[in-house]
Amino acid sequence: SRNVCIEGTSTGRAHLFIRSTAKQNFSYIQFRYFGPRKNLGGNSAEELVPGRYGMHFHHCMEGSRGSIVHGNVIRDTGNHSYVPHVSHGIKFTDNVAYNVLETAFWWDPGDPTHDVIYDRNIVANCRHVAASLNMNAENAPTHSSSGFALNTGDGNVCNNNVVVVGGMGDPADGGAYNWEAVINEGIWEFQNNIAHNNDCGLRVWQNSTRNHVIEDFISYHNGVGMFHGAYANSYTYTGGYFYANKTNMQ
């Protein structure tokens, strides 16, 4: 019945780590100054610290099933915001990631996470640190940020979400909604999502013969409405609108 704020500081960032065998519920909390970064690459850019995310469910497996994350705000954060990593059956509804770095809704690519629901969430002003190294991806240079990573797993849902100024950087590397090339990727339910004012609205880089269905996706005022690759990539696009993008499709 009252507002709750959990904060680090701008120079001493915190993180929330959950490894539980019982379901968790988080509602109407503001998390600020989370996700520490350190200079790990030797240049002037600070890198993300692996595992030190905004809200991090870590390998809860079936223990997290039934958890609800509803109506929260994660802001001014230097690393991934909402991370259900090998933690199954979590429902994320009506949450906001604002003024954050790295892909906001994410888990480690290639690590199967099942039955996660993303519904009616907002990602706004999600960016990347150019020239920083991605310590979760073999120290590769960081070229983009994304709002939602549609990573490995079965039974996952991404519906009714909005990303604005969230798919930023190289359209060939990331987008507001991003399907990366990973082994054994799952088929997401993907309906009624919106991307606007991003560098890239939707990016696919799969190598798979499994059919993915993209329903009623709206992409407007983006640099690239949709970037689609790579080789074997069976996708069906149905409904939706592309409007006033500099380039609709690449």
Side-chain angles (χ1 to χ4, degrees):
S1 62
R2 60 181 178 180
N3 294 331
V4 176
C5 299
I6 303 175
E7 297 189 0
T9 68
S10 60
T11 57
R13 296 181 181 274
H15 68 280
L16 176 62
F17 180 88
I18 305 157
R19 186 167 185 179
S20 177
T21 58
K23 65 181 181 181
Q24 307 292 311
N25 293 324
F26 296 91
S27 296
Y28 303 112
I29 303 170
Q30 176 181 251
F31 300 89
R32 192 179 190 192
Y33 297 134
F34 275 48
R37 302 181 73 89
K38 291 184 178 180
N39 191 330
L40 303 174
N43 59 15
S44 59
E46 288 189 331
E47 277 71 33
L48 64 83
V49 179
R52 303 298 186 261
Y53 311 128
M55 180 184 294
H56 182 195
F57 291 83
H58 180 74
H59 284 249
C60 298
M61 295 177 278
E62 290 299 322
S64 58
R65 190 168 293 278
S67 296
I68 295 175
V69 180
H70 175 77
N72 303 283
V73 175
I74 295 179
R75 58 177 297 197
D76 306 322
T77 287
N79 207 333
H80 304 292
S81 299
Y82 299 92
V83 179
H85 180 207
V86 194
S87 298
H88 311 311
I90 304 174
K91 188 174 183 179
F92 296 83
T93 58
D94 298 322
N95 300 288
V96 175
Y98 172 73
N99 192 33
V100 298
L101 297 175
E102 312 295 340
T103 299
F105 288 80
W106 177 93
W107 64 76
D108 297 60
D111 287 358
T113 302
H114 309 307
D115 303 317
V116 167
I117 296 175
Y118 297 146
D119 191 14
R120 304 187 309 274
N121 302 286
I122 296 174
V123 177
N125 194 20
C126 177
R127 300 181 183 272
H128 66 288
V129 178
S132 67
L133 301 179
N134 187 342
M135 313 309 286
N136 286 313
E138 299 178 347
N139 300 347
T142 301
H143 298 296
S144 67
S145 65
S146 298
F148 292 82
L150 290 307
N151 286 343
T152 308
D154 296 317
N156 296 309
V157 174
C158 182
N159 291 341
N160 309 307
N161 302 288
V162 177
V163 180
V164 51
V165 192
M168 306 306 293
D170 185 354
D173 187 71
Y177 304 90
N178 186 24
W179 283 260
E180 187 54 85
V182 293
I183 298 173
N184 299 321
E185 87 289 349
I187 304 299
W188 284 73
E189 180 181 310
F190 189 87
Q191 300 173 355
N192 302 314
N193 295 291
I194 296 174
H196 67 90
N197 295 90
N198 304 281
D199 287 335
C200 180
L202 181 152
R203 182 251 188 184
V204 170
W205 197 254
Q206 292 284 359
N207 296 287
S208 170
T209 56
R210 301 177 67 183
N211 188 55
H212 303 68
V213 179
I214 310 301
E215 298 184 64
D216 298 322
F217 174 61
I218 297 175
S219 176
Y220 67 93
H221 288 291
N222 300 293
V224 175
M226 177 179 72
F227 184 99
H228 189 98
Y231 302 107
N233 44 30
S234 180
Y235 277 66
T236 298
Y237 295 88
T238 179
Y241 296 93
F242 283 69
Y243 173 76
N245 301 294
K246 291 181 180 178
T247 301
N248 279 329
M249 298 181 187
Q250 284 189 0

